[in-house]
Amino acid sequence: MTARKEKLATGVLLWTFWLVDALSFGAITGNHGHISIGLNFAEQFALLVLLASWVNSDARMRRQSLCYDFDFFIYVAWPFALLYYLFLTRGLRAFLTLLGFAVFFVSAILAGYGVFWLLTR
């Protein structure tokens, strides 16, 4: 699989993750339930794995070498490590990538809540 296809696949998985997350959160809190510690941990871990996978495939696509065990930095401090990587590789165009992530996130959350609303109507 080429780096571009891998990056696209990771992006689709990230959007699907946020969609399923919105559906599950809506289903749990819609019934006045509470999210378990295990589900919360699994959600955070899955997000970190997907973000680390996206950074690795993007770095391969751009032929950028990452420092040894950059994935660990994403696990420890993902907001700072992701921002560092984006601004290192893109400069000011990193704001466009961040805007893309925001659109990805909001569209998946809205779609998830929309599907949940249609199912519970």
Side-chain angles (χ1 to χ4, degrees):
M1 180 181 268
T2 64
R4 186 174 299 275
K5 287 181 182 177
E6 186 177 324
K7 183 180 169 187
L8 179 65
T10 306
V12 169
L13 281 174
L14 193 59
W15 191 86
T16 306
F17 166 77
W18 279 325
L19 176 72
V20 170
D21 185 47
L23 283 171
S24 64
F25 185 76
I28 291 169
T29 58
N31 295 329
H32 303 295
H34 298 285
I35 297 176
S36 69
I37 294 172
L39 180 63
N40 192 21
F41 176 75
E43 172 191 4
Q44 295 300 321
F45 184 73
L47 177 63
L48 293 175
V49 166
L50 287 172
L51 287 176
S53 177
W54 184 87
V55 168
N56 282 330
S57 60
D58 186 69
R60 270 197 307 277
M61 190 178 85
R62 294 179 178 276
R63 298 171 201 242
Q64 186 80 14
S65 63
L66 297 172
C67 70
Y68 181 74
D69 210 16
F70 190 76
D71 298 337
F72 175 73
F73 293 125
I74 290 178
Y75 291 127
V76 172
W78 72 268
F80 302 111
L82 188 62
L83 286 175
Y84 169 76
Y85 171 75
L86 288 176
F87 282 101
L88 177 72
T89 57
R90 292 166 173 77
L92 289 178
R93 290 182 304 166
F95 286 114
L96 292 175
T97 305
L98 290 172
L99 179 65
F101 273 130
V103 168
F104 243 39
F105 177 73
V106 169
S107 69
I109 295 296
L110 289 177
Y113 279 121
V115 168
F116 177 72
W117 180 76
L118 287 173
L119 293 175
T120 58
R121 229 179 105 170

